[in-house]
Amino acid sequence: MPIVKTKLSKQHQRWTLPAFGFLALSSGILMGLTVAPVEAWFLAWIALVPLWVIVASSTPRKTKLLSALLWGSGYHGVALAWITGVHPMMWMGVPWLASIAIALFCWAAITLWGAALVTAWAVCITVFSRGVGTFTRVLIGVALWCGLESLWSLGPLYWTSLSYTQSPHNLIILHLGQISGSLTVTATIVAVNGLLAEAWMRYERSEVGGRGSGKNTITLRLFASSCLLFVALHLVGFGLSSRPLVQPPETALKVGIIQGNIPNTIKLYSEGLRRAITGYTEGYITLAEQGVEAVLTPEGALPFMWSEVLRTSLYTAVQEKGVTAWIGAFGEQGQNYTNSLFTLSRDGTVFSRYDKVKLVPIGEYIPFEQVLGGLVRRLSPLEAKQVAGAPDQVFDTPFGRAIAVICYSSAFPEEVRYQAAAGGQFILSAANNAHYSPSMPAQHHAQDTMRAIETDRWAVRATNTGYSGIVDPHGRTVWISGLNTYELHAETIYRRTTQTLYVRWGDWLTPLLLGLAIISKLTSLPASKKINPLS
């Protein structure tokens, strides 16, 4: 493919900065509509095209940066609008105006954090794609997006990866996550959008420069490449999703789920505590009598220290019924505490404990506390400081090693992959999810669906107010609860020891793409500008 300077069409040369900004913001909003509550997942395959055209064309630098910032704000702002559900907090003693301010601060902070990633991508692709061919620019664009998302996942705010725009509806493409994790899906989305954008830009130049020079052939070739890539990767995903699940009877495990439905507004007060103890005790007894082998409760099901849990009727019921229970409660760690999941074995002893690794910023800890501590009120039920668990934990149970996921950790695939590689045979996901609009628990379910597919594991989800559920290794939702309802459910899952390519090797695709992008960039440089490694 020859190197051609990308110019705007005459029509677009007349566009103003606000017009470009509006186009970028609108397409970002379209990307935001791919997730709950709208779930128009198919828009993800075209919603990045306008931004790519703006960034890859000869628009002014200021236009590119503003467009990227607006696109990112549109996507992350719409997808994460549920965060404003932290308001109202008057039940916690927070004044109405302060509650509004906190909600808006949370939404703005997490939106701008995501928008910063998109802006960084626009800067990088502008710098590194100069003087390269079309396919090299697409390779660089895909590699940069995946590289930046990978860095982003190492921080405290990570939820809206492009890959989750396809969950839980496009299960076929999500199976690419078994190859190299969720960023495999991200790479696919960016690549298809990039090829479509390049085809559009070629088409526009053919309108300006005439139709007889073969430019239309290149346009068709690029468009066909995007379609072929889309179809080919879906066929790969279809092949992976069509493999039968080998489930020997001896690996079966009948588990019960209790969705306690204790609203946050009363959860930490006497009424909520009474309802929690009664609801989880009665639910446990009912499920035990139905013949389950273990019962899973949500994150913070009993919101007090473990030493107090041992004095509850639920603990007594476990001793009497002899059925293992996974109980969400707080664990002591010196003068601090952890948000933990405890395995209470059939004889009433604590078999294991898993401490939440990924804490929710502002909700469970304050970033830059010395600076922001006086501005943001900690939304914590205890006066002690909540601390995170070690990232290298494993969670052994009487039925073999499990993969423990507590709430926010569902968004971090590496945490789940590590536990699967360490021998985890099934996923236990415990979350609260109360106080938000239905889109938040729906998105949370989508995250756990991706983790089940990537690791080839059954996932059992217990939440406080919904959605609780059972997801099989192909991402199919076997059962899902209602919202804001008290529910009990028993289901048979199967323990698995298979290891996908992703579980064994992790995200190997991103460094490979970055390496290929560097090689392509260097080989496309004019001889006079190539770097001599010996100089």
Side-chain angles (χ1 to χ4, degrees), residues 41-97:
W41 57 270
F42 46 86
L43 292 177
W45 301 97
I46 59 172
L48 188 58
V49 170
L51 178 63
W52 189 293
V53 171
I54 295 171
V55 172
S57 300
S58 57
T59 51
R61 184 178 303 173
K62 182 170 71 172
T63 300
K64 296 180 181 182
L65 294 180
L66 179 62
S67 297
L69 184 66
L70 290 173
W71 190 95
S73 298
Y75 169 46
H76 296 282
V78 171
L80 296 169
W82 53 261
I83 199 70
T84 57
V86 299
H87 172 79
M89 290 182 284
M90 285 77 79
W91 58 275
M92 297 183 66
V94 179
W96 183 87
L97 189 59

Side-chain angles (χ1 to χ4, degrees), residues 189-206:
I189 294 171
V190 178
V192 170
N193 275 272
L195 289 169
L196 286 174
E198 295 291 336
W200 175 256
M201 289 188 291
R202 288 280 179 170
Y203 172 76
E204 285 195 317
R205 285 199 299 276
S206 70

Side-chain angles (χ1 to χ4, degrees), residues 134-151:
T134 299
F135 286 110
T136 298
R137 179 162 55 235
V138 172
L139 174 60
I140 291 173
V142 173
L144 286 172
W145 196 292
C146 290
L148 288 168
E149 262 202 22
S150 181
L151 289 175

Side-chain angles (χ1 to χ4, degrees), residues 146 170 239 272 300 328 439:
C146 290
N170 192 357
S439 59

Side-chain angles (χ1 to χ4, degrees), residues 463-474:
T463 68
N464 178 15
T465 55
Y467 294 108
S468 302
I470 302 286
V471 181
D472 78 4
H474 282 322

Side-chain angles (χ1 to χ4, degrees), residues 493-532:
I493 66 169
Y494 295 86
R495 292 161 287 179
R496 297 174 66 80
T497 57
T498 57
Q499 290 199 338
T500 64
L501 194 60
Y502 170 61
V503 169
R504 292 197 300 268
W505 291 2
D507 176 23
W508 55 269
L509 179 63
T510 296
L512 175 63
L513 289 172
L514 288 169
L516 292 175
I518 292 172
I519 294 172
S520 298
K521 171 65 176 178
L522 292 177
T523 55
S524 66
L525 288 174
S528 60
K529 294 184 179 181
K530 288 184 178 178
I531 300 174
N532 184 353

